[in-house]
Amino acid sequence: MADVRTPAVANPDTASTAELIRKALDDVQELAKAEVALASKELGAEATSTFVTAIAMSVSIAIGVCAVATGVAALIVGLGGTTVAALASAAAILAIATAIGIVTSIARSPKGFLPRTRQRVAEDISEMKDHFA
């Protein structure tokens, strides 16, 4: 597809106001595209890092909870309890830990996608509209 940009203004002293404004808007648009591309790349890298960290932390917590449940079960059996009681207590510990994890995850999950960035972009657009109006 052909590039449909306005040609660059050769001499700002002889250019009309409309040409200067068009050139300024083209420059702003080009800068905005570059910023969005950089932000997108940065966001992708941060998302990947966050995902890997979350998986590693989740696995570590799960292993820790299983170790505690197994330890409690071993303690119950060691103190003369039945195997059924030991397994039931281990299952209860795992169920409680799972419920806490689910509730915490739901409560802390983001309610919208990039709310601060959306707010800043909306303010920037509003400011540009006011400036050029």
Side-chain angles (χ1 to χ4, degrees):
M1 182 172 184
D3 191 12
V4 194
R5 291 189 196 156
T6 306
V9 179
N11 186 357
D13 294 333
T14 61
S16 71
T17 303
E19 289 174 327
L20 291 173
I21 289 174
R22 197 169 324 152
K23 173 67 173 132
L25 288 174
D26 286 346
D27 290 346
V28 167
Q29 184 179 16
E30 208 170 300
L31 179 61
K33 284 181 182 179
E35 287 292 338
V36 167
L38 288 172
S40 176
K41 189 173 185 178
E42 183 180 5
L43 181 62
E46 285 187 22
T48 300
S49 175
T50 301
F51 179 74
V52 169
T53 302
I55 294 295
M57 184 67 76
S58 298
V59 168
S60 298
I61 290 171
I63 291 171
V65 170
C66 289
V68 168
T70 304
V72 168
L75 183 62
I76 289 172
V77 170
L79 293 175
T82 66
T83 306
V84 172
L87 291 175
S89 62
I93 290 170
L94 293 172
I96 290 169
T98 300
I100 290 170
I102 289 171
V103 169
T104 304
S105 296
I106 291 171
R108 297 203 49 144
S109 66
K111 306 304 181 228
F113 185 69
L114 299 175
R116 291 180 299 227
T117 301
R118 286 177 169 225
Q119 180 64 31
R120 277 195 316 268
V121 168
E123 289 171 1
D124 290 345
I125 289 171
S126 176
E127 188 177 313
M128 283 194 306
K129 284 181 180 178
D130 292 344
H131 183 70
F132 286 113

